[in-house]
Amino acid sequence: MIRLLRAPLRPVTYSRWLHLCVPLLLLALWMFIHPSSPWMPLLIVIPFGFVPWVRLAEGLQAQFLLTPQDRGSDDSLIGTAPSARWADRWRTVLWLEIRLLVAGAAMFATVWLPVTAAELTAIALGRPLNSDPMVPFVPERWAAALLAPVPLVLLVVVVVLLGELITAIARRLLGPSAAERLTALEARTEQLLERTRIARELHDSIGHALTVAVVQAGAARAAGDPEFTDRALKAIEETGRAALEDLDRVLMVLRESGQPPSQRPTLVEADRLLESARASGAAVDAQLTGPLEKLPGPVTREGYRILQEALTNVLRHCGPVPIRVRIDMGAGRLDLEVTNPLPVSPAVTTGRGSGLRGMRERAALLGGEAETGPHKGGWRVRARLPLERIP
């Protein structure tokens, strides 16, 4: 009841009314051509329902007039895509038929009820009626005055109810099919995975650069040696420049510029990470074996990020301690291991552990595994990545 009382004040009531009246243009045009066959438009619209783009036009019109509050929303229950399957075409045909029938009821109410209200008003004022009045009976003047507003109230009720009905039917017949919903869900999942990957890229790259900068600045201040300070500033500059390059890569992806993944850093550039760690004061013992340049693209890119995060964690939590790095490209697998001793107290405040989870996620996406944890009195990160992804 409250919705009916508020209906005349809601813009959607009138937009739905307009949607109900649009098919009347076809009916009115046909009545000029062949007034004795008002049912013919029901047959005329059938071929149009099989045209794929008709479904797109009907979906856009329904979204704009029936559910303007959901227009442009990902949660809209009315689709705006051409018919892709025969099932969609048949649903479009059924929609066009039902829409014409509901429009006929709306036309009858829109014409008959206001005219009835006008005739009741004329009776109340004592004016003569036409020879073919709409009112089924002629009441007394006082009764006509009381009944005159009733047809207009009924008109609002009919328009609201028919609007709700046609909206529900549109969501049912013009809504996305199961296959379309699955496609949309897959696209949404891919988008979320891409956002997660970009977040990891930013975390690994920028986190590594900031960690190196913090460690270098602290060491330079503690050393009090101008030569060491100069080397520290140079290392900070190089690490910051590399981080800016990584940030540019990520931003190009966000701008949908088509940046290929092959331009992301790989294990061939591992020396850059090792030198950055050495410049921070850590003694790095690195052993890289095998033709790393022949690694598959996903393996070498994710391996680089795992190594970067491992070195970042060492510098962030342990400071410039000795680091042992082993990278071995063997038969069908890449083994990556980073070990370091644990200090008595952390050098830098620890974070929330998202880096360790990110390493495990990167390895899992390639069908491999990553282990992190204490090992022989120190800390070890070990990743095993298959060169051919396991299905």
Side-chain angles (χ1 to χ4, degrees):
M1 180 61 68
I2 296 178
R3 292 184 63 183
L4 289 175
L5 294 176
R6 293 179 178 176
L9 303 178
R10 298 175 62 204
V12 70
T13 300
Y14 302 98
S15 65
R16 289 176 176 177
W17 195 355
L18 176 61
H19 184 274
L20 292 170
C21 293
V22 167
L24 301 182
L25 298 176
L26 174 62
L27 182 60
L29 179 62
W30 178 254
M31 293 301 291
F32 278 109
I33 300 174
H34 207 294
S36 62
S37 303
W39 47 268
M40 277 299 294
L42 292 174
L43 299 179
I44 294 174
V45 298
I46 292 178
F48 292 96
F50 293 105
V51 179
W53 293 102
V54 170
R55 184 176 182 83
L56 169 63
E58 290 293 320
L60 289 173
Q61 186 182 143
Q63 271 197 8
F64 188 80
L65 295 177
L66 298 180
T67 59
Q69 69 278 4
D70 298 335
R71 188 166 174 252
S73 171
D74 293 337
D75 299 327
S76 177
L77 299 178
I78 298 178
T80 55
S83 300
R85 297 170 178 81
W86 278 104
D88 297 333
R89 294 182 174 94
W90 281 110
R91 290 167 67 199
T92 306
V93 171
L94 182 58
W95 158 255
L96 293 176
E97 297 291 322
I98 293 177
R99 186 181 179 188
L100 277 174
L101 293 175
V102 177
M107 177 189 68
F108 180 78
T110 301
V111 174
W112 181 69
L113 291 174
V115 172
T116 301
E119 290 182 349
L120 290 172
T121 303
I123 294 173
L125 296 176
R127 295 179 181 177
L129 300 178
N130 296 326
S131 58
D132 188 15
M134 289 285 189
V135 292
F137 63 94
V138 180
E140 298 291 334
R141 293 181 59 180
W142 63 268
L146 294 176
L147 294 175
V150 174
L152 299 180
V153 174
L154 288 177
L155 176 61
V156 174
V157 173
V158 169
V159 168
V160 171
L161 293 179
L162 290 180
E164 294 285 350
L165 175 64
I166 199 66
T167 301
I169 295 174
R171 286 171 173 163
R172 180 69 177 176
L173 297 179
L174 296 180
S177 63
E180 290 172 339
R181 283 194 291 268
L182 181 59
T183 301
L185 180 60
E186 290 176 349
R188 178 64 175 167
T189 302
E190 289 295 330
Q191 185 182 35
L192 292 176
L193 289 175
E194 180 66 12
R195 289 181 180 178
T196 302
R197 185 190 67 78
I198 290 174
R200 283 200 302 261
E201 294 283 341
L202 288 175
H203 173 272
D204 295 347
S205 179
I206 306 304
H208 175 78
L210 291 177
T211 298
V212 170
V214 170
V215 173
Q216 288 280 10
R221 184 180 60 179
D225 182 0
E227 184 177 351
F228 182 86
T229 301
D230 183 66
R231 291 199 304 270
L233 291 175
K234 183 178 179 181
I236 292 174
E237 179 185 3
E238 293 176 352
T239 305
R241 185 177 293 111
L244 287 175
E245 292 176 358
D246 288 342
L247 181 61
D248 286 340
R249 293 190 185 100
V250 174
L251 291 178
M252 290 183 72
V253 173
L254 290 175
R255 297 189 193 105
E256 299 180 351
S257 60
Q259 180 76 353
S262 59
Q263 294 190 18
R264 289 159 50 196
T266 66
L267 279 177
V268 177
E269 305 170 60
D271 288 340
R272 187 176 74 179
L273 295 176
L274 301 176
E275 290 302 322
S276 177
R278 292 189 181 104
S280 300
V284 181
D285 175 19
Q287 181 179 339
L288 286 66
T289 58
L292 300 181
E293 68 279 358
K294 295 183 179 180
L295 285 170
V299 175
T300 188
R301 290 191 292 268
E302 299 303 325
Y304 178 93
R305 291 305 186 189
I306 291 174
L307 175 61
Q308 183 181 53
E309 180 60 29
L311 295 176
T312 300
N313 285 341
V314 173
L315 296 175
R316 178 183 296 148
H317 304 304
C318 302
V321 298
I323 305 173
R324 183 173 178 268
V325 177
R326 295 291 182 268
I327 302 177
D328 179 29
M329 178 183 172
R333 190 177 72 183
L334 174 70
D335 292 322
L336 189 153
E337 183 177 285
V338 179
T339 57
N340 62 275
L342 292 174
V344 177
S345 59
V348 183
T349 304
T350 58
R352 291 182 290 181
S354 59
L356 300 181
R357 183 176 65 251
M359 286 189 284
R360 291 190 289 268
E361 289 175 352
R362 289 180 183 277
L365 285 174
L366 297 175
E369 58 180 357
E371 301 173 357
T372 60
H375 177 72
K376 295 182 179 180
W379 187 270
R380 180 178 70 176
V381 173
R382 183 170 65 178
R384 299 185 182 92
L385 308 178
L387 300 187
E388 294 183 3
R389 185 170 180 177
I390 300 175

